[in-house]
Amino acid sequence: MKMQKAEATRRLAEVGAFAVVRVETVERGLEIADGLVRGGVPAMEISYTNANAGDVIAAVKDRYGDGILAGAGTVMEAATARLAIMFGAEFVVANMESEEVARVCNLYQVPYAPGCTTMTEANRGLEMGAAFIKCFPISNTYGVQLVKLFKTPTPWMPLMASGGINLDNLADWVRAGVDTCGMGSLLTKGSADDIARNAAEVRRIIDETRAEMGE
């Protein structure tokens, strides 16, 4: 049974990071998933930049079940959102904001993270019921300071950062108060063993930093 919105949102924030995945084959998607699970970062966003995204989501969920969170990325309109959910997507991420996508996700109780650049967009996203506000593409442009820019006036805003996050600055993002981080090549390149090692380091940094913060 598909987990409901609140539980999927909680788990994504608890993990604190996820892989942003674009793959040519289902087999490669499963290889990445294997490394993520073994490394302790069991969450991945499979981008609909590639036509096989639904097949990858379905295969990952078939193999790992509740052992991994599998979401859909680059979801720009309602039809893709519904297809992704039918394939088993447990969260939906986009590079922009769409009321139609928000409606579909809310209807099926799936967390939605619209890509937002301005405070106006971000607040509108919350009005739509977004589980996270994805700071895109400004995570890469502004860096860690953008968390304060958004959270000072709206400290309740759940933020997803995507772009420019690596092992050297991950702790800074966590300390700043970002809720979850999308990471590309660090968690998707190399063998399953390489991914597992990197994921284990991501897990260590997040856990240790949160412990220092008393979380």
Side-chain angles (χ1 to χ4, degrees), residues 26 44-48 52-63 70-73 83-91:
V26 170
M44 60 194 300
E45 167 204 322
I46 297 95
S47 174
Y48 267 82
N52 66 353
D55 294 330
V56 176
I57 292 168
V60 168
K61 292 308 298 178
D62 182 61
R63 176 172 295 185
L83 284 171
I85 293 167
M86 290 175 71
F87 275 113
E90 294 163 305
F91 62 96

Side-chain angles (χ1 to χ4, degrees), residues 97 114-126 128 133 136:
E97 191 173 77
C116 299
T117 299
T118 67
M119 183 61 77
T120 299
E121 289 177 328
N123 278 290
R124 187 165 58 237
L126 294 183
M128 294 177 189
I133 298 302
F136 183 84

Side-chain angles (χ1 to χ4, degrees), residues 14-209:
E14 184 178 73
V15 174
F18 59 93
V20 179
V21 178
R22 295 177 178 86
V23 288
E24 298 299 325
T25 66
V26 170
E27 290 73 22
R28 178 56 181 165
L30 290 170
E31 186 176 15
I32 292 170
D34 177 61
L36 294 172
V37 170
R38 287 197 282 122
V41 183
M44 60 194 300
E45 167 204 322
I46 297 95
S47 174
Y48 267 82
T49 302
N50 288 18
N52 66 353
D55 294 330
V56 176
I57 292 168
V60 168
K61 292 308 298 178
D62 182 61
R63 176 172 295 185
Y64 293 98
D66 289 340
I68 194 168
L69 278 170
T74 323
V75 178
M76 300 172 66
E77 33 64 46
T80 300
R82 180 61 181 128
L83 284 171
I85 293 167
M86 290 175 71
F87 275 113
E90 294 163 305
F91 62 96
V92 168
V93 182
N95 55 339
M96 40 76 76
E97 191 173 77
S98 165
E99 291 187 15
E100 293 181 351
V101 172
R103 287 193 198 100
V104 171
C105 291
N106 289 334
L107 178 63
Y108 293 101
Q109 288 294 284
V110 172
Y112 174 46
C116 299
T117 299
T118 67
M119 183 61 77
T120 299
E121 289 177 328
N123 278 290
R124 187 165 58 237
L126 294 183
E127 291 175 353
M128 294 177 189
F132 299 96
I133 298 302
K134 179 184 176 182
C135 301
F136 183 84
I138 55 176
S139 295
N140 212 351
T141 303
Y142 289 97
V144 176
Q145 64 178 337
L146 77 80
V147 179
K148 184 177 181 180
L149 293 175
F150 277 89
K151 287 214 171 189
T152 295
T154 49
W156 56 85
M157 183 178 289
L159 294 182
M160 173 186 289
S162 186
I165 304 167
N166 53 50
L167 295 178
D168 294 327
N169 63 23
L170 176 58
D172 295 330
W173 283 98
V174 176
R175 291 190 193 100
V178 75
D179 295 88
T180 190
C181 299
M183 310 179 81
S185 59
L186 184 68
L187 295 179
T188 61
K189 302 299 183 184
S191 67
D193 289 339
D194 294 328
I195 293 167
R197 281 191 293 270
N198 287 336
E201 184 64 6
V202 168
R203 177 82 276 129
R204 182 191 67 79
I205 291 170
I206 291 174
D207 289 346
E208 289 184 1
T209 305

